[in-house]
C-alpha cells in the first residue's frame, strides 16, 4: 500500500504535495474552509496562490487522484494509509509544529463561532456538528496542552461548553480546564 501511495504522491505537483502533507493533521473529516485555514498561508511554498477561491480545484485534484475522498456529509477525508504517508512527509519537511499550530487556531476559531449556535433555533445541529468534529477537537486540545497554550484550551472548551453539558461530558471539559490551569 505504501508503494502505491508513494507512486501517487510522486505524480503530484509541488503545491499538491504541500497540501496533501499538511492535511494529514486532520484525524477525521474536514471542510474546504478547514483546508484553507491549515494550508493556505504565504510561507514560500507556493500553496497560497492555489488555496483560496481556487483551492477547490487543487483539493479537487487530490480527490480525483483518490488521495482524498468526499464523505456523504460533504466533508473531505483522507484514508488512514494516505494520512500516515502524508504525515511522514510532513515530519520530513519539519512543518509539523507550524501546521499543527494552524490546525489548533482553526479549531479554536470554529469552537468560538459555535458557542451561539447551541442557544440558537437548532441546538441539535450544533451538537451533531460538534460530534462530527470531536476527534479533531481532542487532537487540537492535546496540541494546545503540549505547547502550553492554556488560552486555546479555555477558548475551545468554553466555546463548546453547552456541548459538554448537553452530552454529559462535563468531566472531560473539567479535565481539560484543569490541564489548562496546570
Amino acid at each position: 500500500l505504501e508503494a502505491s501511495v508513494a507512486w501517487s504522491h510522486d505524480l503530484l505537483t509541488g503545491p499538491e504535495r504541500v497540501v496533501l502533507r499538511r492535511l494529514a493533521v486532520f484525524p477525521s473529516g474536514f471542510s474546504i474552509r478547514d483546508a484553507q485555514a491549515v494550508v493556505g498561508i504565504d510561507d514560500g511554498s507556493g500553496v497560497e496562490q492555489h488555496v483560496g477561491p481556487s483551492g477547490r480545484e487543487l483539493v479537487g485534484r487530490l480527490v480525483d487522484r483518490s488521495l482524498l475522498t468526499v464523505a456523504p456529509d460533504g466533508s473531505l477525508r483522507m484514508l488512514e494509509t494516505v494520512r500516515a504517508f502524508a504525515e511522514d512527509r510532513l515530519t520530513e519537511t519539519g512543518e509539523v509544529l507550524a501546521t499543527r499550530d494552524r490546525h489548533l487556531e482553526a479549531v479554536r476559531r470554529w469552537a468560538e463561532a459555535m458557542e451561539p449556535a447551541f442557544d440558537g433555533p437548532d441546538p441539535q445541529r450544533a451538537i451533531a456538528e460538534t460530534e462530527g468534529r470531536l476527534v479533531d477537537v481532542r487532537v487540537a486540545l492535546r496540541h494546545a496542552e503540549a505547547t502550553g497554550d492554556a488560552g486555546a484550551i479555555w477558548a475551545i472548551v468554553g466555546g463548546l461548553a453547552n456541548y459538554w453539558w448537553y452530552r454529559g461530558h462535563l468531566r472531560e471539559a473539567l479535565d481539560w480546564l484543569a490541564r489548562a490551569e496546570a
Side-chain angles (χ1 to χ4, degrees):
L1 285 174
E2 186 174 340
S4 176
V5 174
W7 177 78
S8 293
H9 179 264
D10 290 345
L11 297 175
L12 299 176
T13 65
E16 290 168 340
R17 289 178 187 183
V18 173
V19 169
L20 181 69
R21 70 178 175 251
R22 290 180 183 173
L23 292 178
V25 300
F26 290 104
S28 59
F30 54 92
S31 69
I32 190 70
R33 183 174 299 179
D34 296 331
Q36 290 170 318
V38 172
V39 302
I41 59 157
D42 184 8
D43 63 358
S45 65
V47 172
E48 64 282 348
Q49 64 187 329
H50 298 284
V51 179
S54 63
R56 294 177 194 281
E57 180 184 334
L58 185 61
V59 170
R61 284 188 267 174
L62 295 176
V63 171
D64 290 345
R65 294 173 189 244
S66 300
L67 294 168
L68 296 177
T69 60
V70 180
D73 66 0
S75 66
L76 298 161
R77 298 190 183 273
M78 191 179 293
L79 295 173
E80 186 55 35
T81 305
V82 175
R83 197 183 77 69
F85 180 90
E87 195 168 39
D88 287 346
R89 302 297 82 73
L90 188 66
T91 300
E92 288 172 3
T93 62
E95 298 176 318
V96 174
L97 183 59
T99 305
R100 290 204 181 280
D101 286 346
R102 289 190 301 275
H103 175 260
L104 172 60
E105 185 56 30
V107 170
R108 176 188 200 156
R109 283 192 310 270
W110 169 81
E112 290 172 333
M114 286 299 292
E115 186 173 6
F118 292 100
D119 295 325
D122 191 5
Q124 291 304 316
R125 186 203 58 78
I127 290 169
E129 182 176 342
T130 302
E131 286 186 344
R133 294 195 65 168
L134 203 52
V135 173
D136 221 24
V137 167
R138 289 176 176 140
V139 165
L141 287 167
R142 283 192 295 274
H143 178 68
E145 180 183 25
T147 58
D149 191 344
I153 295 173
W154 278 95
I156 293 168
V157 172
L160 302 177
N162 284 327
Y163 169 78
W164 307 110
W165 173 261
Y166 291 151
R167 297 312 261 173
H169 295 303
L170 283 178
R171 171 63 19 220
E172 181 179 3
L174 292 173
D175 286 347
W176 281 114
L177 295 178
R179 293 176 188 184
E181 284 294 313

